[in-house]
Amino acid sequence: MTASVVGCPFSGGQPRLGVDKGPIHLVEAGLLDQLVGLDWKVNFDGHHQFEEITAANDPPIGKLKNPRFVSKVCESVAKVVEGHAKKGELPLTLGGDHSLAMGTISGTLAAHPDACVIWIDAHADINTAETTDSGNIHGMPVSFLMGLNSQTIPEFSWVNPALKPDRIVYIGLRDVDQGEKRILKETGIKAFSMHEVDKYGIGKVVEMALDHVNPKRDRPIHLSFDVDALDPSVAPSTGTPVRGGLTFREGHYICEAIWETGCLVALDLMEVNPSLEDADSVQQTVAVGCSLVRSALGETLL
Ligand code: ARG
Ligand code: MN
Ligand code: MN
Ligand code: MN
């Protein structure tokens, strides 16, 4: 099997510099060799270069910050992911901030229209242009993928709102905005917060999540993993840490269990920010990012 690594040094979906260095650190830590060690053929033609659209020619649209830059980058990422996926390769996108998932999931759905999404995160990232407080688009990709914005924003018209509410499931949520809670209720999207992880245990939660989104285990799976789903004691170097998160093992269990389905077709690892916290924290966060990817791509404990 071929994994096509899409390195996305991009931070325009949120204000904290450094998250664009995430993919560079992950690759420098040896992630690609580690995948070769798991018998993957690894295809990597360098980190993607994005034409810089500066703040001066990218004023906010409503509350949305850096809207043209985010849109352009995600559109190009969507094409790259679609291209790899249509060749039967598994796109592994290294972020970068989570706005990139607007691109990666668009690419996956273009290649695999019946795919479902498993979104691992402290946050729901489903704010609309109306509900967002921050204006940071990394808190909104799901709303674009689902077409939840009441007004169409011409700059984002390339996004095909093809993601249906019963084709996405969340695990790990614990910092969901009021407007997002309302959207989750109205759309009926299934979400397993940390409350459910505590109540049922991670094994049962993953099983229930899969039963919901992929009952016959015949749909392709796109796994979008925001490293801030993990507890900050496990993954400290990330822009919007929230305490009370997944343990090291819970995070890895999710990846292992999804790999075991045999349905994984695309993987995102997002929001590693090597500019935040001390050197040990950065090393720890990069290492845990690499090991999550290995688990999702077939590394077993025995
Ligand atoms: N809900 C907040 C917002 O919309 C935080 C989003 C954090 N997202 C992330 N991908 N880390 O701004
Ligand atoms: Mn490529
Ligand atoms: Mn998050
Ligand atoms: Mn996220």
Side-chain angles (χ1 to χ4, degrees):
M1 275 281 287
T2 299
S4 289
V5 178
V6 184
C8 291
F10 178 68
S11 68
Q14 54 83 63
R16 305 187 75 167
L17 296 180
V19 71
D20 48 310
K21 301 291 185 294
I24 295 151
H25 280 246
L26 289 161
V27 168
E28 278 176 1
L31 176 58
L32 309 190
D33 289 338
Q34 295 165 19
L35 298 182
V36 171
L38 293 170
D39 282 339
W40 284 87
K41 187 172 171 295
V42 176
N43 166 17
F44 178 57
D45 43 26
H47 295 285
H48 282 265
Q49 301 288 304
F50 307 113
E51 75 178 279
E52 188 66 46
I53 300 180
T54 55
N57 41 35
D58 195 11
I61 298 175
K63 290 187 259 183
L64 304 193
K65 294 175 181 159
N66 311 321
R68 296 160 196 82
F69 190 24
V70 173
S71 178
K72 277 266 171 299
V73 165
C74 288
E75 187 178 13
S76 79
V77 168
K79 292 212 175 82
V80 171
V81 167
E82 176 183 352
H84 289 306
K86 282 187 168 163
K87 283 193 261 173
E89 303 159 3
L90 186 143
L92 162 59
T93 304
L94 305 176
D97 75 65
H98 217 168
S99 66
L100 289 161
M102 199 188 306
T104 62
I105 292 173
S106 292
T108 293
L109 289 173
H112 305 282
D114 55 339
C116 60
V117 174
I118 302 183
W119 191 285
I120 314 299
D121 207 320
H123 310 94
D125 294 348
I126 197 168
N127 273 303
T128 65
E130 294 91 50
T131 67
T132 178
D133 282 324
S134 68
N136 299 327
I137 301 178
H138 79 155
M140 312 181 206
V142 179
S143 79
F144 284 86
L145 290 161
M146 295 185 63
L148 299 178
N149 285 285
S150 56
Q151 259 139 329
T152 53
I153 304 163
E155 283 78 0
F156 288 87
S157 60
W158 65 268
V159 184
N160 175 14
L163 184 61
K164 298 284 168 281
D166 62 347
R167 294 294 173 96
I168 178 169
V169 65
Y170 290 104
I171 301 174
L173 303 189
R174 58 195 181 276
D175 183 13
V176 180
D177 300 336
Q178 279 310 325
E180 294 184 297
K181 288 183 179 173
R182 203 182 57 236
I183 292 170
L184 293 180
K185 282 209 185 73
E186 285 171 5
T187 54
I189 295 175
K190 192 86 165 166
F192 297 91
S193 71
M194 289 309 299
H195 178 85
E196 282 72 40
V197 174
D198 293 338
K199 182 171 177 177
Y200 299 111
I202 196 65
K204 183 73 189 161
V205 162
V206 173
E207 186 183 316
M208 291 189 290
L210 285 167
D211 283 346
H212 175 75
V213 88
N214 200 356
K216 294 190 219 139
R217 306 294 194 267
D218 56 351
R219 291 176 182 157
I221 296 175
H222 181 119
L223 175 59
S224 198
F225 204 119
D226 182 331
V227 83
D228 74 27
L230 300 176
D231 191 78
S233 60
V234 180
S237 296
T238 190
T240 51
V242 189
R243 64 183 179 164
L246 297 169
T247 64
F248 180 92
R249 271 306 307 158
E250 286 167 343
H252 286 75
Y253 178 82
I254 293 169
C255 294
E256 293 158 4
I258 290 171
W259 171 256
E260 277 184 344
T261 65
C263 298
L264 186 73
V265 296
L267 173 61
D268 307 330
L269 183 76
M270 302 298 190
E271 299 281 357
V272 172
N273 187 331
S275 301
L276 299 176
E277 308 300 321
D278 57 278
D280 281 350
S281 299
V282 171
Q283 195 271 332
Q284 183 189 333
T285 307
V286 170
V288 85
C290 291
S291 75
L292 288 170
V293 170
R294 293 198 308 274
S295 291
L297 296 183
E299 185 170 68
T300 54
L301 298 181
L302 292 177

